[in-house]
Amino acid sequence: MRAIASDPAVLMLDEPVAGMNDVESDELAQIFRDLAGRGLGLLLIEHNVGFVTRLCKHIYVLDAGRLLASGPPDQITNDPRVIEAYIGASAA
């Protein structure tokens, strides 16, 4: 990964698992965990909710450019506002 060759403090990634299968995305997730374990900050923009919830400790959800929700994965996946925004139906 050329992006980490210059030893950045933060790595910003936009849709890194787009087009990957589950095996490939799991391998990339492990690479990200290893990098984070070495102190590298990771900012991830990703629509693959399963990948994000398995990888991230804290998630920020944006809707139309505004912060909709923030918190740990279990809180985010059960938030009615997030469900409504991304599924399009009321969670109630």
Side-chain angles (χ1 to χ4, degrees):
M1 295 177 80
R2 289 190 298 170
I4 61 171
S6 63
D7 196 29
V10 177
L11 184 60
M12 297 169 45
L13 303 149
D14 185 19
E15 301 284 343
V17 297
M20 289 186 176
N21 64 39
D22 289 341
V23 172
E24 293 165 333
S25 64
D26 287 346
E27 289 175 6
L28 188 57
Q30 188 56 54
I31 291 169
F32 291 162
R33 284 185 198 97
D34 293 345
L35 292 170
R38 293 186 215 157
L40 178 64
L42 297 166
L43 174 64
L44 177 71
I45 298 168
E46 181 60 64
H47 288 92
N48 183 329
V49 176
F51 177 78
V52 171
T53 57
R54 286 190 308 274
L55 178 64
C56 299
K57 294 178 183 177
H58 196 92
I59 299 170
Y60 294 89
V61 178
L62 300 178
D63 184 33
R66 296 179 190 240
L67 183 63
L68 182 64
S70 170
D74 60 334
Q75 179 183 329
I76 294 300
T77 57
N78 291 304
D79 188 311
R81 297 166 301 164
V82 174
I83 294 168
E84 184 171 352
Y86 283 87
I87 296 176
S90 176

